[in-house]
Amino acid sequence: MARVLRILLALALFVVLPRGVAAQNGTVAGRVTGEDGSALIGAQVSLSGTGQGAITNARGAFLIVNVPPGSYTLQVQMLGYQDSEVTVQVAAGQTVTHNFRITQTAVAIEGVAVTVGSRRAVTAADELAVPVDVFSADEIQMATPQLEVATILQELSPAIYFPRPQIADLTSGVRPFQLRGLSPDHSLVLINGKRRHSTAVVHVFGAASGGAGSSGVDMNAIVPSAMGGMEILRDGAAAQYGSDAIAGVINVQLRDDIHRPEFSASVGQYRPEYFDPDGERFEFTGSSGWGLGERGTLVLSGMFSSRAETERAGPDPRDQIVPGDADVVADTNGDGINEIIQKNNAVPMPNHVIGDGASKNGGGFFNLNYALNEDQTHNLYGFGGYTFRRDLHSGFYRRGLDNRNWPQIFPLGFLPHFRGDATDFMWVSGVRGFAGQWNYDISGQWGRNSLDTDIYQTMNVSLGPCLDASCSNAPGESLGPGPDGVPGTGDEIPNKTDVYAGKLISNQAVVSADFNRGVDIGASSPLNLAVGLAFRADNFQIEAGEAASYVNGNHPTRSGGTAAVGSQVFTGFRPDQAVDKWRSNVGAYVDVETDVTERLLVAAAARFENYSDFGSTVTGKIATRLQAGDQFILRGAVSTGFRAPNLNQSYYSHVSTGFRTDPNNPGNQIAYEIGEIPVESPEARALGAESLREETSTNYSGGIAFTPVERLTFTVDGYLIDLRDRIILTGSLEGPTVEALLAQFGAPTVKFFTNAVDTRTKGVDVTARYRHLLPAGTYLELLAQYNRNSIEVTDVHVPAVIQEIADQVFDSGDRYVLENGRPRDRATTRARFVHERFDVGLAGNWYGQQVDRLEEGATPAQDVFLENGPHFVMDGDASYNVTDGIRLSIGAENLLNARPVVVPEGYNFSGIFPFDSSSGLSMNGRYIYTKVNVKF
């Protein structure tokens, strides 16, 4: 690979030199309109046989630059319209202008430009050497009525897995997705081709199946009505786009079309089996696009959604307020869900919340494009958005008789809740166009994600049972001695039931310059040369919470023992955990691609990155595509990749409460304190931790695309990803060895991030798409997709100092979850029939069998497993266009009320957690909705 990179760099230096033949090339420009003269957006315009082309913009305009002199067939294609072509003669240094007016055929279906996977102008996904799924705005809107982009992703692609973790601290509100079974931060997310910033949240709990310790992109901070299309590149692309693109790239294209105001409103509710209806959702979106004179467009989009809580917990059969007052419960229906058959205490049941927490989400996006000159060779652009989301979710219930409760404050016990306020902002502006023989794109951007966290219906047990600073020192009413442990010194503070726990902030700034041109090298098409340079600065901050959320008030528990410190369920960030860290990096790349012959395409890329905190890395990629026949394509790629460790992973620090199975009673959970410490801290260093370094990968992929008849396409793509030095969050390190090493620090049970694991991911993606056009505006579209994905841990390397407790760093349970924590098989199917004003759709999601290990036995034969699945989820909807501007829809998701497997007694927390929450299948049940779309 090193030799290949040297060749690529040498080639880049050679082709960027001025060449007389290239300097004499010409330009082809024009517009594409319908029969009524209206602009057609997304039409594919190409010079037949050259590989050069363009996609029409919001004005229907196209521009093909750097065309060698000669005679060409200029062709335009768009689904639902008749093809059109004309012969043009291009002279050196001149611009040829030709306008098309094309005729509509059966039905116009929105086309989407392909902008990832290649840096040359590509007009269709099958022109690429790597697999890219392209989805239109219509497909995105019809995927699900719910305004969650992560849910949309899973509905569109079986390679995407979106688990719904329960009682997972901050992760419960910012749930990550996974591509090809890898970590959430192994997928690069782009907006209009520009890097999207990551969430500030570090996923400590609830993302163990490949994502523990990750900080991926918060997809639900993107406004769905702003999306004009989406591309999912299922191939390693770090050499092309930089860090994180190990599993692939998701590019969201924002709407840029001129359109009258349009709005949609949706109302729905979950109607599960065995539970009361709940989870009401009210969702609104809007969008409008304006023309800015004859030169530009501005699109504004917005949304607001409100989601009520869903509850799928069983009653708590344990003693609650005093010993012996437990309710009597039983599975009366034989469905695995307990019910109360005798009420013996005053605690309302269920006292836990399992399901989706309540949420409100709103915000807006904009997309601006404006030509700086009349021929549109220089264009100003800007886009971005702001969203605010409040998520409410909860932890484990603290019973009235628990030492983590003061009955003077909560006589019946309490369920602590999170109130997470996530704010997300992104701004990108730049200029792009054509100068000399070069296309250029120069931009600057800033992204920010933050999470303010309040814990309510909670308490800090160490502050004592008093909520008022004027409390007396009478038994049961006293304040704690305060942080100094000495009564009466003035540092005593009262307890609080609603505390501010602190704030996480992630900032990212990028300045980039990209250039590409075509160079005539005597091949079947001009060599497309792309070079670029980018500077990026990342920042991670932790702001401390208020004192009551973390301070040790030194008050003993109600039974006289040592009290738990900090707000229950989530201890606030302490001042000594506050950080404000920056990192910068500079990256440069070269990317070349050409049709060596009319049937053989070859592409290669190399990238150099230098980071201020861990040094440099070089990656490369080679890809090829062979048109083996008129209807048969072979393609393959090999690449190296990397992912820079997030600043979050290097500097995150927090002490939290965890729960584990009581070895003496598997049905009970025991609370314990866990400290996640920075890898740079003295405590971590004492345990042998080293500064985090980049993860590296080698990706291999190969596949075929076959079109036996018109509008029917099959693709099969296999892949293998070797990932080295994968960053994990260790297990809870404890015991004599850890105590001895950390004696001078007095640290609690700790975890830290380390490059400890190598993995191999193997899989295959299969797609089949068919579109049958009929007369009178009627068509039938069918799509089936399948993904098989497996992960194997190939090596574990643990710091030598703690080699004897290697099983705590990454134990057999961690290995099992990483290798088996998701279904290996996933499939989606969609069918849609459209006839004049009416259309109907059916969709299916299939989750293959997943085997979860509930308990590790003394020998493998004694391990306890649970077969989860397979599951099939069917969705259906029907719509009717009442008028040209009003569309009514009704539908249901999970028509058959499929649900995750019921966990057997003894492993379901006394029946409180009835369902296996590791499944991607939601436990919420059937969702019924109605929707209205209005276009003015």
Side-chain angles (χ1 to χ4, degrees), residues 56-181:
T56 57
N57 62 17
R59 292 288 183 183
F62 65 89
L63 183 70
I64 306 174
V65 300
N66 209 18
V67 181
S71 179
Y72 298 92
T73 298
L74 182 65
Q75 185 179 52
V76 60
Q77 294 176 304
M78 189 170 185
L79 287 172
Y81 289 82
Q82 293 182 354
D83 295 350
S84 182
E85 61 182 40
V86 67
T87 300
V88 295
Q89 191 71 35
V90 180
Q94 295 184 358
T95 298
V96 176
T97 301
H98 183 83
N99 297 323
F100 289 95
R101 179 168 290 195
I102 57 179
T103 304
Q104 189 171 354
T105 55
V107 59
I109 303 174
E110 184 177 5
V112 181
V114 185
T115 59
V116 296
S118 173
R119 293 187 181 274
R120 69 172 182 170
V122 177
T123 57
D126 62 8
E127 295 181 15
L128 298 170
V130 290
V132 176
D133 299 321
V134 182
F135 301 101
S136 69
D138 284 343
E139 289 176 298
I140 293 169
Q141 292 174 9
M142 290 186 290
T144 174
Q146 301 181 22
L147 298 183
E148 293 182 331
V149 174
T151 301
I152 293 172
L153 280 170
Q154 179 167 258
E155 293 292 320
L156 291 177
S157 173
I160 301 289
Y161 187 60
F162 180 47
R164 293 165 171 81
Q166 302 296 316
I167 308 186
D169 284 3
L170 304 182
T171 297
S172 295
V174 186
R175 298 181 296 193
F177 75 94
Q178 298 171 253
L179 174 60
R180 286 184 163 176

Side-chain angles (χ1 to χ4, degrees), residues 641-663:
F642 78 103
R643 187 189 74 83
N646 293 327
L647 284 176
N648 317 37
Q649 293 175 319
S650 294
Y651 297 102
Y652 183 76
S653 177
H654 182 248
V655 175
S656 57
T657 302
F659 284 80
R660 58 189 170 197
T661 301
D662 184 345

